Amino acid sequence: MERDAMATEAPMAPVTRERRVRDDLEEKLPKPYLARALEATDTDNPNGTAGHNNNGMSVLQQHVAFFDQNKDGIVYPCETYKGFRAIGFNPIISLIAAIGINVAFSYPTLPGWLPNPLFPIHIKNIHKAKHGSDTATYDTEGRFMPVNLENMFSKYARTIPDKMSFWEMWSMTEGNRVTFDLFGWIVAKFEWIFLYVLAKDEDGFLSKEAARRVYDGSIFEYYAKMRGNAEEKMN
């Protein structure tokens, strides 16, 4: 019975063998099950992203803050568009992303009941816009759950440890689907496809480090800086 209490695979549930979870996390990361409010940590970065300032924001708020161009705590569609352009997406994709993101996530974050036709996203309330069928790496208050990031890759990164191919990533979004959650299914796939296009390596894999850094938004700052430096050299 004591052995069964720590088992991570059930003989009658083959999926638990196919999607394995790690049992060694505490050897590399203190309290991996503890929700981190300020830092996106993992076994390789137990203190979060070096040089990244959290500004007292939750990890989910940090994820969105890059797109707040004027730092007023509100993200309008034009700011979302500018943010996508800054990290390298073309005008058409950036426009589609700006419309889709702000239309979908504005209302839950508004301070009142009345809709705003300008579709602003209020960063203070971004935890209210958390959707279903996700990885649960953010909790319902916007904290970061290291154990869920680690298990995402232990379950689905079959070819190379801590890296997912496109189809492994696709399988991950399929595995996270919640019944009848059409909105969550669609949004999750779009989010991960955007990240894959942005951060895949030369061999076509998405690393755990890239995924971790998208959660705290530091990856957006990184690519915006890289693109800015490239344009300076060209000029």
Side-chain angles (χ1 to χ4, degrees), residues 112-129:
W113 289 99
L114 293 177
N116 188 323
L118 299 178
F119 298 106
I121 293 174
H122 290 252
I123 295 177
K124 179 181 178 181
N125 298 325
I126 193 62
H127 62 283
K128 296 180 180 180

Side-chain angles (χ1 to χ4, degrees), residues 62-139:
Q62 294 170 51
H63 171 74
V64 180
F66 168 79
F67 297 92
D68 181 13
Q69 302 288 307
N70 60 3
K71 306 305 177 187
D72 64 351
I74 302 173
V75 181
Y76 288 94
C78 62
E79 293 179 292
T80 305
Y81 173 85
K82 292 176 182 176
F84 270 83
R85 291 289 291 133
I87 59 178
F89 286 97
N90 67 44
I92 295 175
I93 296 298
S94 298
L95 180 61
I96 293 171
I99 294 171
I101 290 170
N102 283 73
V103 169
F105 297 113
S106 172
Y107 185 74
T109 72
L110 296 179
W113 289 99
L114 293 177
N116 188 323
L118 299 178
F119 298 106
I121 293 174
H122 290 252
I123 295 177
K124 179 181 178 181
N125 298 325
I126 193 62
H127 62 283
K128 296 180 180 180
K130 185 179 184 292
H131 61 81
S133 299
D134 64 353
T135 64
T137 306
Y138 295 124
D139 71 7

Side-chain angles (χ1 to χ4, degrees), residues 9-229:
E9 299 176 8
M12 299 302 291
V15 70
T16 62
R17 187 175 298 108
E18 295 168 8
R19 304 175 188 170
R20 296 182 175 179
V21 296
R22 293 183 59 172
D23 59 5
D24 63 342
L25 293 180
E26 287 193 277
E27 297 174 8
K28 300 179 179 180
L29 180 66
K31 298 183 178 180
Y33 49 80
L34 180 67
R36 267 67 165 181
L38 297 172
E39 299 293 341
T41 63
D42 67 359
T43 53
D44 300 310
N45 301 274
N47 296 313
T49 304
H52 175 66
N53 190 342
N54 61 55
N55 293 311
M57 294 181 174
S58 72
V59 178
L60 179 54
Q61 288 175 329
Q62 294 170 51
H63 171 74
V64 180
F66 168 79
F67 297 92
D68 181 13
Q69 302 288 307
N70 60 3
K71 306 305 177 187
D72 64 351
I74 302 173
V75 181
Y76 288 94
C78 62
E79 293 179 292
T80 305
Y81 173 85
K82 292 176 182 176
F84 270 83
R85 291 289 291 133
I87 59 178
F89 286 97
N90 67 44
I92 295 175
I93 296 298
S94 298
L95 180 61
I96 293 171
I99 294 171
I101 290 170
N102 283 73
V103 169
F105 297 113
S106 172
Y107 185 74
T109 72
L110 296 179
W113 289 99
L114 293 177
N116 188 323
L118 299 178
F119 298 106
I121 293 174
H122 290 252
I123 295 177
K124 179 181 178 181
N125 298 325
I126 193 62
H127 62 283
K128 296 180 180 180
K130 185 179 184 292
H131 61 81
S133 299
D134 64 353
T135 64
T137 306
Y138 295 124
D139 71 7
T140 50
E141 292 74 42
R143 304 182 193 92
F144 181 82
M145 297 292 297
V147 64
N148 290 338
L149 174 71
E150 299 290 350
N151 284 340
M152 182 198 321
F153 281 84
S154 69
K155 288 180 180 181
Y156 296 101
R158 307 286 179 81
T159 309
I160 302 175
D162 291 340
K163 289 186 177 184
M164 286 190 286
S165 68
F166 178 85
W167 291 113
E168 288 169 341
M169 181 194 73
W170 185 271
S171 178
M172 180 266 293
T173 63
E174 290 287 292
N176 289 334
R177 295 199 321 178
V178 177
T179 306
F180 301 123
D181 179 27
L182 181 61
F183 175 78
W185 300 350
I186 294 171
V187 171
K189 280 187 165 52
F190 272 106
E191 288 174 342
W192 283 96
I193 288 171
F194 272 120
L195 176 58
Y196 180 83
V197 171
L198 176 68
K200 69 180 186 298
D201 63 22
E202 59 186 11
D203 296 316
F205 287 90
L206 180 68
S207 69
K208 184 181 73 169
E209 176 65 359
R212 184 190 68 80
R213 292 189 65 177
V214 82
Y215 283 104
D216 68 7
S218 62
I219 198 168
F220 303 135
E221 299 167 359
Y222 171 76
Y223 279 106
K225 184 177 180 180
M226 279 186 59
R227 188 165 183 264
N229 290 340

